[in-house]
Amino acid sequence: MDKKIMEIPVVKKIAAAEEAAWINPGLRPYEEVSLEVTMEDIEDAENRLARFAPFIVKCFPETADRGGLIESVLTPVPMMQAYLNKAYGSGIQGRLMVKQDSHLAIAGSVKARGGIYEVLKHTEDLALEAGLITIEDDYSALASEACRKFFSQYTIQVGSTGNLGLSIGIASAAVGYEVIVHMSADARQWKKDMLRSHGVKVVEYASDYSEAVKNGRRESDANPKSYFIDDENSKNLFMGYAVAAKRLRSQLEELDVNVDEAHPLFVYIPCGVGGAPGGVTFGLKELWGDNVHCFFAEPVQAPCMLLGMATGLHNGISVQDVGLTGLTHADGLAVGRPSGFVGKVMEPLLSGEFTLKDKWLYEYMRNLLETEDIFLEPSACAAFEGPARLLKYEETRAYIREHGLEDKMKDAVHIAWATGGRLVPEEIREEYKKTYLD
């Protein structure tokens, strides 16, 4: 490893597996930012999801009450906020809320956004090309046995640590595809079992996420009727996640919450390879520009996005290159090498990052369950490191000062983006509740 890279202060902390806060020096005023993705891309994705709503209702009746919309609630958590302030001295002003993507229909995680969206986009592409439908048709027709038979000749493959595989496996099986999910060593057994119960082929690896993706991509490329969903580089996945922002705006309006210069919004999102948090962040910045401040949270043994962004090397560096194991209880965040596509898009957008030790995943999980009766899987609880420690680090306190936010914090809204949890079996929940780490 280049000696200059190892001398970067935050890289020293990363290599020592220390908890840290990092402020992105590449953050730019949003009006100065030019990206390869746009609001038109978000609207295109939103329109496609609307076209598929009748199909989604037919295949997944649990979405009927929302008319086929796969969306989660935004929940104020004042008792959790009070607990963090009392137990950890967090000093959170304003309002703390949880965006419960942990409870999204079908897949029970944020991956229900990007993963299911990409499956549906591929389905539309195939169906239009084959003349099964036109854009103006009722897409529920795609749930017919004749269409299922058509789609059964095609395969969808993906590499995953768990939740992305669940979303793609469940959605693809519903359409009728053959599905192969390549799962890294970090993937939980219950997620593999659930996929198999849907008729999905699960290929297990003794190595990490990057190896599962590499092998999945190679196997898919060898089959002309196979489509590989690439969490590292997929614009389609990214746009599926980005749609969340416009829906969040409506939810904030329902709660009489304004986001403007006087009322800043802070959003904290757990990060693995980067697709979901990157897509959500892009959508939020498109809507609120400099009035939204987005932070990622990663485990100390697998802070791949932070390492990629802090060095400027993106997917050209892995956590193993600086001596980390990449092993973490946060299975959904157990990624050693970040998405280069997402890292480059985040360069001018992301406010910063937090890293945390695994013990806090379980502590925050119990805190939320005891105060608000909301269960999240441990990976999702990384989101609380942001509000809990925003005022603890000199780096983040300086960020607040330099952005003129000190007098506005009393009117701020903080959103912890809960990324998964609803599908966790009861016996595994009990196991998590009893897990205490040093």
Side-chain angles (χ1 to χ4, degrees), residues 74 95 97 245-267 283-294 405 408 411-415 417:
L74 177 66
R95 300 174 71 185
M97 301 182 185
K246 290 182 77 173
R247 297 175 180 177
L248 180 69
R249 178 169 62 184
S250 300
Q251 292 178 320
L252 287 170
E253 288 169 355
E254 288 169 13
L255 293 169
D256 294 322
V257 172
N258 293 320
V259 177
D260 54 32
E261 192 175 350
H263 303 84
L265 174 62
F266 289 79
V267 179
L284 295 172
K285 296 296 283 191
E286 272 288 301
L287 288 185
W288 290 301
D290 300 333
N291 298 320
V292 61
H293 308 270
C294 298
L405 298 169
K408 300 171 184 176
D411 297 313
V413 167
H414 302 264
I415 296 177
W417 208 283

Side-chain angles (χ1 to χ4, degrees), residues 79-240:
M79 290 180 287
M80 179 64 167
Q81 180 173 346
Y83 184 88
L84 293 175
N85 285 343
K86 183 178 179 182
Y88 304 121
S90 300
I92 306 166
Q93 295 177 274
R95 300 174 71 185
L96 177 63
M97 301 182 185
V98 173
K99 179 60 173 157
Q100 287 185 248
D101 276 7
S102 50
H103 291 65
L104 279 170
I106 305 174
S109 82
V110 67
K111 303 298 186 180
R113 296 187 184 282
I116 292 173
Y117 172 73
E118 180 148 6
V119 170
L120 296 179
K121 184 177 187 307
H122 182 58
T123 299
E124 184 182 61
D125 291 344
L126 290 175
L128 290 172
E129 185 180 348
L132 298 180
I133 53 166
T134 68
I135 291 284
E136 291 75 29
D137 286 342
D138 179 346
Y139 277 27
S140 65
L142 293 173
S144 70
E145 276 309 309
C147 286
R148 284 185 61 80
K149 186 176 180 183
F150 169 80
F151 290 117
S152 70
Q153 65 184 308
Y154 295 94
T155 299
I156 286 184
Q157 304 196 47
V158 66
S160 175
T161 60
N163 284 344
L164 182 65
L166 275 179
S167 73
I168 286 166
I170 293 170
S172 298
V175 176
Y177 295 110
E178 292 293 314
V179 196
I180 304 172
V181 178
H182 301 262
M183 305 221 37
S184 64
D186 311 279
R188 303 283 179 170
Q189 187 61 44
W190 69 265
K191 295 182 181 180
K192 299 172 191 175
D193 294 342
M194 186 172 288
L195 278 168
R196 289 183 173 122
S197 76
H198 284 269
V200 173
K201 180 182 177 183
V202 177
V203 181
E204 300 184 50
Y205 295 86
S207 48
D208 71 359
Y209 170 83
S210 295
E211 195 67 20
V213 170
K214 186 168 73 176
N215 280 284
R217 188 186 290 118
R218 184 170 60 232
E219 187 173 316
S220 185
D221 287 348
N223 178 358
K225 287 197 169 183
S226 178
Y227 180 77
F228 186 72
I229 294 180
D230 188 345
D231 201 14
E232 295 178 345
N233 300 296
S234 172
K235 181 179 173 182
N236 291 329
L237 271 179
F238 190 82
M239 298 322 304

Side-chain angles (χ1 to χ4, degrees), residues 39-55:
M39 179 58 82
E40 286 73 27
D41 293 317
I42 296 177
E43 288 167 353
D44 179 55
E46 193 172 42
N47 292 337
R48 184 168 291 104
L49 288 169
R51 291 197 293 275
F52 268 100
F55 171 85

Side-chain angles (χ1 to χ4, degrees), residues 393-412:
Y393 288 101
E394 174 51 35
E395 291 89 342
T396 42
R397 291 197 301 271
Y399 176 92
I400 289 168
R401 288 195 304 272
E402 289 163 12
H403 286 79
L405 298 169
E406 286 175 296
D407 296 335
K408 300 171 184 176
M409 297 305 285
K410 66 183 184 303
D411 297 313

Side-chain angles (χ1 to χ4, degrees), residues 296-373:
F296 293 169
E298 298 184 277
V300 293
Q301 283 293 342
C304 68
M305 183 59 69
L306 171 53
L307 183 62
M309 291 190 69
T311 60
L313 295 175
H314 298 296
N315 60 337
I317 191 169
S318 76
V319 300
Q320 288 83 3
D321 292 337
V322 296
L324 298 178
T325 65
L327 301 176
T328 168
H329 283 242
D331 57 309
L333 313 182
V335 179
R337 191 180 299 273
S339 162
F341 160 62
V342 173
K344 286 166 187 164
V345 174
M346 289 300 100
E347 276 182 337
L349 306 185
L350 188 66
S351 292
E353 288 232 21
F354 294 90
T355 64
L356 74 162
K357 293 180 178 175
D358 281 1
K359 67 172 283 187
W360 297 112
L361 304 172
Y362 295 101
E363 296 299 332
Y364 295 144
M365 180 197 72
R366 281 186 286 270
N367 299 157
L368 185 66
L369 191 58
E370 289 162 9
T371 58
E372 303 284 354
D373 196 29

